[in-house]
Amino acid sequence: MKRLIEDNEFALEVLNRISNMPLKKDSHFFAKFGNIKIIDAVNRWEGNQIPAENYPAIIFLRVVLAANRKYNTHVEPHINRIIKEYPNLKSIQSLKNIVTSKSRDEFYKFWGHKNLKKYNTLLNLIEATDQIRLKYKISDDYNLMNKWAEDVDIFNYESDLIGRIKNIAIATIQHLRMDFGINTVKPDQRVLEVLKREFEFKKVNQIKAIQLVEELAGISNIKVRELDLILVNYGSGYYDNRKYSSQVKLRTQIADKLNDLGVNQNIIYEATGIKIKVSNNR
């Protein structure tokens, strides 16, 4: 497979810069760690997860709820509440029992989210684990899903027992794989945005994003899953999509003007975040 990162030095410079930026209030880890460096928050999180966060039932609820939602406001508070109020909610069977014992509206109240599509996705995910268990003959839920996560082919995920579920695509597959122990990346909106905006990669789709982060791991000696957390916390904290287009256009115009005036490229980059290409030098 052809390498996608052409300028290792630039990629590492960007990674170092965003890793050492402080968490902002909208960063995923801000509520846990406050205004510390992103890289420090990632290191702390990797070594200080509470056991309940890795219960298969909680993982299923979190992953399905998180799809296309703002994590800090629409996911984390509900998951923390459920962990506190339902300390025995650990296994997939215990989650299935809750789903079957409640009406749909009752489950919406329990989950903190009213969305028929997500509700049906969760039901189908639970049902798919029965088939996965028949395939692998593994009784422990976490070990079962870890084995599934190891074996799934993301290039052909539509044929997978979970990948073929309606409304589940690559990002959700990758989120499940990460939460069940695989060193990989979830190529969601935030990850793609940071790869495009900061690292200046063009035409980044989800498959390319996975390859790019894996290559970045190779040159930085940082785990893929830790890079995912760095990218997500930077993107969620520093980007306002409503303002991005106009801001980038303005910064690009300023950078071009400074370049016309003969300002050093490194100074331009420090001031604007825009890297002037060699071919543009006058």
Side-chain angles (χ1 to χ4, degrees):
M1 186 179 295
K2 181 182 177 181
R3 279 186 55 82
L4 299 178
I5 297 179
E6 297 179 353
D7 189 340
N8 288 359
E9 183 179 355
F10 173 68
L12 290 173
E13 286 176 358
V14 173
L15 177 60
N16 181 66
R17 174 173 58 81
I18 67 175
S19 297
N20 285 284
M21 296 294 286
L23 294 168
K24 294 286 191 177
K25 64 180 181 66
D26 287 332
S27 298
H28 285 192
F29 283 170
F30 185 84
K32 292 180 182 292
F33 303 116
N35 189 35
I36 66 173
K37 292 180 180 180
I38 291 173
I39 187 63
D40 292 338
V42 169
N43 290 334
R44 287 191 192 181
W45 184 86
E46 283 287 288
N48 293 281
Q49 295 181 67
I50 63 173
E53 292 178 335
N54 291 317
Y55 293 153
I58 298 301
I59 290 174
F60 275 19
L61 288 170
R62 180 175 61 235
V63 169
V64 176
L65 190 58
N68 301 313
R69 304 294 292 174
K70 191 172 182 179
Y71 190 82
N72 286 10
T73 56
H74 296 105
V75 181
E76 187 174 35
H78 297 301
I79 296 301
N80 289 342
R81 171 182 53 80
I82 290 170
I83 289 174
K84 182 178 180 180
E85 295 179 357
Y86 296 83
N88 294 320
L89 182 57
K90 303 177 181 180
S91 68
I92 296 171
Q93 182 61 51
S94 65
L95 177 58
K96 188 174 184 179
N97 291 341
I98 286 182
V99 172
T100 56
S101 68
K102 295 181 181 294
S103 68
R104 191 166 66 200
D105 287 338
E106 288 173 337
F107 189 81
Y108 286 158
K109 185 177 181 180
F110 156 81
W111 204 9
H113 189 66
K114 185 176 182 180
N115 185 295
L116 180 59
K117 181 173 71 173
K118 288 182 181 291
Y119 177 76
N120 287 333
T121 299
L122 180 64
L123 294 183
N124 290 329
L125 178 59
I126 294 171
E127 290 179 4
T129 60
D130 292 335
Q131 301 175 59
I132 294 172
R133 202 179 305 277
L134 287 173
K135 177 180 179 181
Y136 290 115
K137 312 297 184 184
I138 298 174
S139 58
D140 180 84
D141 287 345
Y142 189 92
N143 292 338
L144 173 70
M145 295 306 299
N146 175 260
K147 178 61 176 173
W148 163 82
E150 287 181 344
D151 289 354
V152 67
D153 179 5
I154 61 169
F155 297 103
N156 189 31
Y157 74 91
E158 296 93 340
S159 64
D160 179 76
L161 289 169
I162 291 178
R164 68 190 185 191
I165 295 174
K166 186 177 181 181
N167 300 316
I168 285 186
I170 295 176
T172 301
I173 291 284
Q174 289 294 93
H175 194 173
L176 282 169
R177 295 182 72 221
M178 286 184 68
D179 281 10
F180 283 107
I182 304 302
N183 182 32
T184 190
V185 55
K186 175 189 174 186
D188 62 5
Q189 177 187 353
R190 290 307 186 193
V191 169
L192 267 65
E193 285 174 343
V194 178
L195 291 174
K196 292 176 182 177
R197 300 180 185 188
E198 307 302 325
F199 292 88
E200 301 181 9
F201 296 125
K202 309 301 182 184
K203 298 180 180 179
V204 180
N205 58 30
Q206 290 179 312
I207 294 296
K208 282 187 176 180
I210 294 171
Q211 182 182 345
L212 284 166
V213 178
E214 288 177 346
E215 289 184 11
L216 190 57
I219 64 174
S220 66
N221 294 317
I222 298 175
K223 292 180 180 179
V224 178
R225 61 179 292 111
E226 293 175 358
L227 289 172
D228 173 276
L229 297 172
I230 291 170
L231 299 177
V232 167
N233 276 280
Y234 183 84
S236 60
Y238 284 84
Y239 290 163
D240 183 341
N241 290 330
R242 294 167 300 175
K243 300 177 181 178
Y244 172 67
S245 294
S246 60
Q247 288 178 345
V248 169
K249 183 176 181 180
L250 176 60
R251 286 191 286 120
T252 301
Q253 290 173 346
I254 292 172
D256 287 341
K257 182 62 176 178
L258 291 172
N259 188 51
D260 289 342
L261 294 172
V263 177
N264 181 275
Q265 293 179 18
N266 292 331
I267 295 176
I268 294 175
Y269 179 70
E270 287 295 324
T272 67
I274 302 297
K275 185 178 181 182
I276 299 296
K277 303 300 181 182
V278 174
S279 60
N280 290 337
N281 289 345
R282 303 288 172 85

